[in-house]
Amino acid sequence: MQKAKRGIALLLALALAFTLTACGGPSAFENKGSSEYRVAMITDAGDITDQSFNQTTYEACAAYCQKNDIDFTYKKPDGDTDYARIAMVDLAVAEGYNVLVMSGYIFAETLVETTFKYPDVKFIVLDMTDGDIIAAAVGSKYYDDPDAYVAGDYYNTGNTYCAVYKEEIPGYMAGYTAVRLGYRNLGYLGGQAVPPVMRFGYGYVQGINDAANELGVADEVNVEYAYGGQFYGSTEITAAMDTWYSNGTEIVFACGGGIFTSAAEAAAKVGGKLIGVDSDQKPVIDAYGEGMTVTSAMKSLTATINAMLDSIIMDGTWDEHVGKIESLGLASGEDMSLNYVALPEESTQWNDDFTVEDYRAMVKKLFEGEITVSESVDRMPEVQVHVNERQGTIM
């Protein structure tokens, strides 16, 4: 049945490719380029104006390809299904694109289904773990015994590169910065208690603690800490955030897809603040209230895309990366643009107590190992600030 579905998807993709070619189909720009490589990005169900991963990935690919005279396009699935995403891969390959870029764990099934099918195509996949791949291949039984499986058995390691990120580092940066900016009552609202969300949260707590100890205010700092149990907002989660803000919480790091909407709705009622996640979320969060977003704990997809496209097209170093699931963090203590995790310098609300220069000094200490951040998610870090950790989830 699956083979039949994939066959139908490929036929539809080929038919659509012919139609688009005949009609002068859509592309990012009319640049046919001179390289042997042609780059295509596949979006998830969202658009390239989502002010999140789709937009960041699209803009990074488009800028790189324009700069280097390389043909580029993007494909948007017609629905939020694996079938639709796989069809767009089929379509891009049918049109002759041989470097495909995809962002997010949602593409795990697509990776499993297409990388063996197209061995001559190079796949760059961002923010996808080995667990995402295995779960897509074997289903829920993976969670019964994760150590029984190896991700490389389920996708083509000969043509695929995956990147994950050291979430604990931007989490630390956000917590440290918030305290140095003057916040003393902070919150962390995670989505589901899965390792990436937990690393963001535990890094955040470590950053809060270090800054508070430096300033000698650890006994004044309080942290509300909870998981929503889902990656979207709800009336119940908004009610919990109402309680946090009404009880004095000043700023909440909302980490987990659309769960930030509940924190933003609650913050808007009382002039509260938020910290965004993954990308610079200021545009989307500030729609709930001007100046609501203090900073965002970001994964730099742009740095990853530039490095990997360079490795394929410019440097000839693809063999050093292909087949790996690399965990990316800081690459420089001097050049912030090279780092794979960061805070947004232009939109963070710096003040006289903590400036962009102070932030860069912190990054340098992290890079050089003068500051260390634990990546463990075994338990809440031992800290001197007061952490009120909710047991279970809000929902």
Side-chain angles (χ1 to χ4, degrees):
M1 178 64 72
Q2 290 296 323
K3 290 183 178 179
K5 287 183 178 179
R6 291 198 294 272
I8 293 170
L10 180 57
L11 289 173
L12 289 173
L14 289 169
L16 182 55
F18 177 81
T19 302
L20 291 175
T21 302
C23 297
S27 65
F29 45 80
E30 296 301 322
N31 174 17
K32 297 305 178 185
S34 56
S35 171
E36 64 179 292
Y37 293 107
R38 303 176 69 203
V39 178
M41 170 212 171
I42 313 299
T43 74
D44 57 26
D47 204 348
I48 58 170
T49 57
D50 68 351
Q51 297 176 329
S52 189
F53 270 20
N54 282 324
Q55 184 167 347
T56 302
T57 303
Y58 168 80
E59 290 176 352
C61 289
Y64 183 96
C65 291
Q66 280 191 307
K67 177 181 177 181
N68 294 290
D69 192 30
I70 295 168
D71 188 19
F72 169 69
T73 193
Y74 77 97
K75 304 297 181 186
K76 179 181 177 182
D78 63 2
D80 187 13
T81 65
D82 293 321
Y83 174 82
R85 286 182 282 272
I86 291 168
M88 290 302 97
V89 171
D90 292 337
L91 174 57
V93 175
E95 291 181 353
Y97 290 91
N98 54 8
V99 179
L100 301 190
V101 182
M102 300 178 285
S103 297
Y105 71 91
I106 200 169
F107 283 98
E109 177 72 21
T110 304
L111 193 72
V112 169
E113 295 292 336
T114 61
T115 56
F116 285 112
K117 186 194 302 185
Y118 301 118
D120 295 329
V121 173
K122 292 176 170 58
F123 291 83
I124 299 171
V125 188
L126 310 177
D127 209 29
M128 182 179 295
T129 69
D130 55 351
D132 295 329
I133 296 168
I134 298 168
V138 306
S140 60
K141 63 181 181 179
Y142 161 69
Y143 301 103
D144 297 330
D145 188 8
D147 294 335
Y149 306 94
V150 177
D153 293 341
Y154 303 104
Y155 75 103
N156 190 348
T157 59
N159 66 349
T160 305
Y161 168 83
C162 296
V164 294
Y165 297 87
K166 296 180 182 295
E167 292 93 353
E168 69 276 5
I169 298 178
Y172 179 98
M173 293 174 175
Y176 184 95
T177 297
V179 172
R180 289 293 305 273
L181 290 174
Y183 296 97
R184 298 292 180 265
N185 294 291
L186 307 96
Y188 179 76
L189 172 64
Q192 294 180 357
V194 294
V197 175
M198 296 173 74
R199 283 193 292 270
F200 267 125
Y202 289 177
Y204 180 62
V205 170
Q206 291 174 73
I208 290 170
N209 190 66
D210 280 1
N213 282 327
E214 284 182 17
L215 297 174
V217 296
D219 59 343
E220 302 173 19
V221 175
N222 299 287
V223 184
E224 296 291 338
Y225 194 104
Y227 299 103
Q230 59 193 38
F231 290 115
Y232 53 91
S234 68
T235 54
E236 293 86 354
I237 296 174
T238 300
M241 294 301 98
D242 285 335
T243 300
W244 281 12
Y245 281 111
S246 65
N247 287 342
T249 297
E250 302 165 282
I251 185 169
V252 173
F253 180 16
C255 177
I259 202 168
F260 81 89
T261 59
S262 280
E265 289 170 4
K269 300 170 187 175
V270 295
K273 301 292 186 179
L274 260 67
I275 294 171
V277 72
D278 285 339
S279 60
D280 184 356
Q281 285 197 299
K282 177 180 173 61
V284 64
I285 293 176
D286 277 14
Y288 291 82
E290 185 176 354
M292 185 180 289
T293 314
V294 171
T295 191
S296 294
M298 300 193 309
K299 300 172 181 177
S300 181
L301 305 188
T302 298
T304 316
I305 290 165
N306 288 341
M308 288 305 104
L309 290 179
D310 268 348
S311 78
I312 294 170
I313 299 167
M314 302 296 177
D315 301 337
T317 58
W318 175 245
D319 288 344
E320 298 175 13
H321 302 282
V322 67
K324 295 181 179 179
I325 301 177
E326 289 189 323
S327 182
L328 303 177
L330 296 176
S332 174
E334 303 291 342
D335 187 346
M336 300 297 108
S337 70
L338 299 178
N339 290 326
Y340 299 105
V341 291
L343 302 184
E345 292 190 358
E346 292 187 3
S347 62
T348 296
Q349 295 178 15
W350 314 112
N351 62 26
D352 291 341
D353 294 322
F354 195 67
T355 66
V356 68
E357 289 77 17
D358 294 326
Y359 160 72
R360 291 175 181 173
M362 174 190 62
V363 173
K364 186 173 182 179
K365 289 178 181 179
L366 283 163
F367 176 72
E368 293 178 347
E370 185 175 340
I371 298 173
T372 58
V373 187
S374 173
E375 65 179 10
S376 173
V377 294
D378 291 340
R379 61 181 181 273
M380 176 68 67
E382 294 184 7
V383 293
Q384 287 70 56
V385 298
H386 179 259
V387 180
N388 180 24
E389 183 180 11
R390 183 187 181 109
Q391 300 303 309
T393 62
I394 293 172
M395 293 298 296

